[in-house]
Amino acid sequence: MSAYLVIEATPADAERFGEYERQSLPLVIKYGGEPLARDTDTLPIERDDRPAIGVIIKFPDKRAVQAYFDSPEYAPLRAFRQTFTQARALVIED
């Protein structure tokens, strides 16, 4: 079963967020991830707020998502992102 990492992000600094994305993409790929969608004009439904960016990344399964998220390579990037971005994420398996 594939797993989809669905991310909502609202960065306070677009330049730093671009740096985060450039550095995290090779790790996503290393852990079997395939970016499917990135949208800066999301459509909120049944909510009042709108994230600045919506992202969907396909992974082989939930374990691959967790391995990516918990990897020692990603830890400093996650800490970096958390200094300037509000984010929420959800994993959905088909």
Side-chain angles (χ1 to χ4, degrees):
M1 286 188 205
S2 296
Y4 300 86
L5 176 59
V6 181
I7 304 164
E8 300 176 358
T10 303
D13 185 325
E15 186 174 316
R16 289 172 72 194
F17 192 76
E19 182 181 334
Y20 162 79
E21 287 184 309
R22 283 187 297 280
Q23 291 184 37
S24 63
L25 181 58
L27 290 177
V28 165
I29 293 167
K30 176 181 177 179
Y31 284 90
E34 174 189 355
L36 297 181
R38 183 186 188 280
D39 189 358
T40 58
D41 187 25
T42 60
L43 174 64
I45 296 178
E46 292 194 24
R47 60 189 293 171
D48 296 326
D49 63 324
R50 176 191 299 245
I53 302 166
V55 176
I56 301 174
I57 303 171
K58 180 181 177 180
F59 283 86
D61 53 36
K62 285 182 179 178
R63 287 180 301 208
V65 177
Q66 197 69 62
Y68 160 71
F69 197 77
D70 293 340
S71 72
E73 303 102 324
Y74 181 64
L77 288 173
R78 182 175 60 216
F80 172 66
R81 174 185 47 81
Q82 290 172 341
T83 65
F84 60 88
T85 303
Q86 294 287 324
R88 294 172 30 166
L90 175 69
V91 179
I92 301 167
E93 196 168 59
D94 67 0

